[in-house]
Amino acid sequence: MDKPPVKMMDPTLAEMGNHLSDAMKILESGKLESEQGKERRKLSWKDIPGPLQGDGQDVVSILQLVQNLMHGDDDKQGHRRMQYVGEQGHMALLGHSLAAYISVLERERLRKLTTRILSDTTLWLCRLFRYENGSAYYHEDDREGLVKVCLLTINTHYEDYATEGFTLLSPKHPVIYQSAACRSGLGQHLCSQLGLPLSSLCIVPCNTMFGSLHQMDVALLDKLIRDDRESGKLPLLLIANAGTPGAGHTDKLSRLKELCVQYNMWLHVEGVNLATLVLGQVSSTVTAATKCDSMTLTPGPWLGLPAVPAVTLYRHEDPALSLAAGLTSSQPVEKLRALPLWLSLQYLGHDGILQRIKHASQLSQQLLEHLKTLASIKTSDILDSEVSLIEALRMVEDELNSPVVVFRFSQDNSAPSSGGSVEGYLVGERDILDALNRWLGEQLAQQVPLSGVDVVELEDEGTCVRFSPLMTAAALGTQENDVAALVEKLGEMIPVLSCTLLFRQDFKDEVLQQASLSYIEDQSWPGLGGVRYEPRTTDLDEDKRQHWVEKINSDLLKKLMELDTDLYFSDGPEFCEEKNCIFIGMATEDLDVAELVETIVSFGRDIEESGKLFENMTEVVRRGIQEAEQQLQKANEEKLMEEGVLRQIPLVGSVLNWFSPVQASVKGKTFNLSEGCLDSTEPVYSIKAQMNKEASLDSPKSVTKRFPGQKLFRRHGAGLDSVSDTSSVSQLEESFRETAPVQASDAEEAEVPQEHHVHIVEETALSDQRVPEGQETESVDTLR
């Protein structure tokens, strides 16, 4: 039996595939150029476009340049956050290269090929997402399909729009209805692209009394449509959600479809929940999307396919109107937009597509089941709404089938307290909880990056943490162990959030009891709160006082940050209105709030007194030096009177000193910092003074005992080193003695002893005369 002939691949296609594979390996390898090349790059092309090379460059060099532009100057692979590109991603990238290659074929062959690609892709998508007898429009911007659909509806309702244009819209003003839960800016983009005024956009509120807070209010929509029709307007199109951008809720699509049929309106649906249509079991609310007039799909993030287009599936019987609206094109090149998706869908197959969507849904169910067991975590507002039993069951069904999980920390006031209280949190509690949940989301995203969680702001619930694996799992490669790690980290952070919320009021009460502290009310700070140390000095003007407050709080913050404690100290949020403050971060259950506040007060007082002592010492030493100079000048005059004028003559004085030496007495002075006067140095060198000095140097400081490894501000046997006033002054003088010695003349010796004294010893200036032998020792001893 003869073997079937082996089909040879086009060499150009084979070479293209090899080049793409080699290029991806180079770009993903993370290997940068050599040290020599790196230095040349720093000197040549950094932020400066270089000229074209005369003889051109090879592929490897060009790809190396692309890699440098992608990663910049970061040489560490760990710092690069790029989407995971698997083999199915390579197929999508290959599709873009093939599209450029296919576009050079002869026109008839290109038309047949593009028609086959477009029809295959449309058929597969319609079967996957249960959209019978649909057509497809492929577009790069996920909003462009809705714009084309709006043009289609305008051309349908205004028959001569193609020739008459906007003049036909004046008698019957078109109206586009959009849910308040739709993504922001969508309606404004439509009006801008269609040339319609913003008055053509009608925002429909969500339910406020019955049903979910994120579902469109159908009864109110009905009333709005009737009012517009009575006023001569034309209801044109309704935009509904099968998975809101924030919380992933689905509108009542069946009821909305009935309303659109009643008023001859177009129903367009979009949302992440549309991806679940490929599963075997789908909720009835999402299944209703298959009856809508059009829907926009984003298979790129759902399946982890980079640079694939979004798809808008629609139903319309008149191909001429579809062509006029731009939904179809006679240009074969535009039909090649579907080529990357055509290749990727074939590579994944039906089972591969189903497995990825199912995996993301299972991750959501896994997280939701664990969140139900955690205290203080709120996942739904069902119990807070007054709904019927049937409506509540439907909402539970929607929640269990939604691939988007939104949760929020919400402290139960009835929870057992560990020393704190929740009284006083009725006012501003929402803002405080928003700040804590924002911190929670940021910490979870940082510590478990593969989970893909982010922070979302919802109008009714506030700040929440969102887990949407359909949009992130395929790109990040999220697995079940990542969800388990997320739940574990969340369990560790819940006690911290609870304790912080409980101790926040206690911290405020402790700060308000201290006259030297001011409490900073900033409800956007995720932590205990903020304080400012207020100096007790009242004799300064406003500018000097502000400078003094800034210096004290800056030094206080540095000192607190050096402590061995788990608390986080900061100068506050980036856009905080309050300045010169110290903000304390999250707390644990064993925090001693009273000790924390006392420590802040003690450190602030020490810094304030130290600053005053330095300031006073500078002025006192300056005046002391001036007075010492006067005393030295007076002593020199007395010496002159005592020795006589003849002894000051060099030659005569030497002869007189040889025959009749003068016993000069040394007179020392000491400057008392506390009294601000000059005294004699004789009491300083007494035995009692020396003993007191040694005793003061050897006296131990009072230290609160702590166990080995015990952190500060812990209630269980933990304390903070007590800081006494005397110890702080002693340390200040020690530092002053090392850095600021007293300046004196050549015949002067300055000393700063421990007991707040600066000793200035006055010595008699010796003339240039010879000392007789035998008297040298006596003179030196006398000077000493």
Side-chain angles (χ1 to χ4, degrees), residues 301-352:
W302 298 348
L303 304 176
L305 304 176
V308 298
V311 184
T312 296
L313 300 179
Y314 65 96
R315 295 189 186 97
H316 200 269
E317 299 177 355
D318 192 348
L321 293 180
S322 300
L323 181 62
L327 288 170
T328 58
S329 175
S330 59
Q331 299 296 326
V333 177
E334 295 188 9
K335 298 180 181 180
L336 289 175
R337 292 179 182 174
L339 181 57
L341 192 57
W342 184 73
L343 294 175
S344 302
L345 293 178
Q346 291 185 88
Y347 182 83
L348 291 174
H350 182 275
D351 295 339

Side-chain angles (χ1 to χ4, degrees), residues 37-55:
K38 190 185 302 183
E39 293 296 329
R40 182 169 61 253
R41 174 169 60 88
K42 290 181 179 179
L43 297 176
S44 62
W45 67 266
K46 184 178 181 181
D47 299 330
I48 301 177
L52 285 175
Q53 299 295 329
D55 53 352

Side-chain angles (χ1 to χ4, degrees), residues 701-737:
K701 301 178 182 179
S702 59
V703 179
T704 305
K705 296 182 179 180
R706 287 192 289 130
F707 293 101
Q710 182 78 34
K711 300 263 186 194
L712 294 177
F713 313 128
R714 298 294 179 87
R715 288 202 304 268
H716 302 289
L720 183 69
D721 296 351
S722 59
V723 183
S724 60
D725 295 341
T726 56
S727 63
S728 63
V729 176
S730 302
Q731 295 173 2
L732 177 62
E733 291 181 352
E734 182 69 22
S735 63
F736 178 78
R737 186 170 63 251

